[in-house]
Amino acid sequence: MTNISFRPRRSCLYMPASNARALEKAKTLAADTIILDLEDAVAPDAKDSARDQAFAALDDGGYGSREMVVRLNAMDTPWFDRDIQRICASKADAVLVPKIRNASDIVQISALMDKAGAAEGMQLWAMIEMPLAVLNIAEIAETATSTRLTTFVMGFNDLAKEMRAQQDRTLFLPAIAQTIMAGRAYGMNILDSVYNDFNDPEGLEQECRRGSAYGFDGKTLIHPSQIDIANREFAPDENVIAEAQAIIAAFKDPENAGKGVITVNGKMTELLHLQQAEQTMAMAEAIKALSQ
């Protein structure tokens, strides 16, 4: 099965699970997705308490229509087993697993989720932040047809570290292209990596705009101040919506019945453009529903 959906994921905000105030604050933020982080944002001696706090917050609720995801500790850490057991018994929508390297990792984790009794709709998200994951990306994406895998989340901070490279986004363009192509081939969602400088809104805006052009569904964020920019840049604007509406209306016109190619506003328009227009309107309606 394919897993792509029109649930908005324009803004996916990491929140440290060790910070009770942050978990409470998340209930008031306009992020489409909240990622409760048990991994990078939590010191080793705070892992157990952060885990308890994260799942207590999920049990208490109050997050409204926000998608709730928990980023666990990696498979080779002493915290993974307890993390996966707790999340499978929780109300989370998805588990985000870091340091994925190959397809067998996905198969193994998905099987663990089944064994632990995870709800049928609980998704598996995978961080793409290791060189081996990029090299194996097609095989990893293919597991979406038979496992809980639905979403790739790019992690360029770790990828740069593993590559011994600087944080230069142009270095990651091949990985971006490969990951998006592989993910789309198997109906997946793909989220862009974080923008580290939360005091640089102009830089974030530019990166979001490029990310949307590349084909990302949204961006992972590290600070609440980044939410509004991501929400704006990963949503269809008024001009795009108007064009989509015009294309849909034109193909519905009885004069164009059965045609595969028509002219809309002076442009050659094919059925593939109709499909894109329908996707645009589905996303616009989903975003509108969130604000109601």
Side-chain angles (χ1 to χ4, degrees):
M1 63 179 178
T2 57
N3 298 302
I4 193 168
S5 70
F6 290 104
R7 179 167 190 162
R9 295 182 177 91
R10 301 165 295 170
S11 52
C12 301
L13 179 65
Y14 288 109
M15 298 294 271
S18 55
N19 187 331
R21 290 180 61 188
L23 299 187
E24 188 64 25
K25 178 71 174 177
K27 298 177 182 180
T28 68
L29 300 174
D32 293 337
T33 302
I34 300 295
I35 304 175
L36 305 182
D37 192 9
L38 301 178
E39 194 214 11
D40 285 347
V42 179
D45 60 358
K47 295 288 189 183
D48 292 338
S49 59
R51 182 193 304 118
D52 290 340
Q53 196 158 257
F55 294 113
L58 287 171
D59 288 341
D60 290 342
Y63 293 96
S65 61
R66 297 168 187 82
E67 186 174 36
M68 300 302 294
V69 180
V70 181
R71 180 163 72 169
L72 308 187
N73 292 285
M75 295 175 69
D76 59 357
T77 68
W79 306 288
F80 174 80
D81 289 342
R82 184 59 177 158
D83 286 351
I84 197 77
Q85 291 294 325
R86 289 291 298 275
I87 193 172
C88 289
S90 78
K91 298 177 182 178
D93 295 299
V95 51
L96 173 57
V97 183
K99 310 298 188 293
I100 292 297
R101 291 175 171 82
N102 51 55
S104 64
D105 289 344
I106 299 298
V107 173
Q108 180 181 348
I109 295 167
S110 187
L112 287 172
M113 292 173 70
D114 293 342
K115 185 177 180 180
E120 183 177 352
M122 186 178 287
Q123 305 167 47
L124 171 56
W125 293 15
M127 294 290 304
I128 303 303
E129 56 187 348
M130 304 296 286
L132 270 177
V134 177
L135 294 176
N136 294 324
I137 197 65
E139 291 84 359
I140 295 172
E142 187 176 9
T143 67
T145 63
S146 58
T147 70
R148 292 174 179 263
L149 181 66
T150 65
T151 304
F152 284 149
V153 180
M154 305 221 70
F156 295 140
N157 286 335
D158 276 275
L159 189 57
K161 176 178 70 69
E162 295 295 325
M163 292 170 61
R164 302 178 191 172
Q166 296 180 357
Q167 275 289 345
D168 182 347
R169 192 170 172 87
T170 59
L171 296 173
F172 306 125
L173 290 178
I176 289 172
Q178 290 179 71
T179 301
I180 292 175
M181 283 190 286
R184 296 306 191 210
Y186 294 99
M188 295 181 62
N189 312 296
I190 306 101
L191 301 174
D192 199 357
S193 184
V194 299
Y195 187 75
N196 293 318
D197 188 353
F198 56 82
N199 290 314
D200 178 19
E202 292 81 10
L204 172 64
E205 182 176 3
Q206 292 175 8
E207 191 161 290
C208 285
R209 195 165 297 162
R210 287 194 296 267
S212 178
Y214 293 156
F216 285 116
D217 294 296
K219 194 162 185 66
T220 50
L221 310 173
I222 58 171
H223 195 275
S225 65
Q226 299 177 319
I227 294 172
D228 288 346
I229 292 173
N231 282 348
R232 181 178 68 249
E233 294 301 326
F234 282 97
D237 64 24
E238 292 181 359
N239 293 331
V240 172
I241 291 173
E243 182 179 12
Q245 290 172 328
I247 291 171
I248 292 171
F251 272 101
K252 285 184 177 179
D253 189 326
E255 292 186 3
N256 294 323
K259 293 182 179 179
V261 181
I262 62 175
T263 300
V264 180
N265 295 330
K267 298 179 182 178
M268 184 187 74
T269 306
E270 303 177 67
L271 289 175
L272 67 89
H273 298 112
L274 174 61
Q275 294 172 348
Q276 290 174 324
E278 290 171 340
Q279 291 171 353
T280 294
M281 294 310 302
M283 180 57 72
E285 289 299 319
I287 291 170
K288 182 179 179 180
L290 285 180
S291 61
Q292 294 176 344

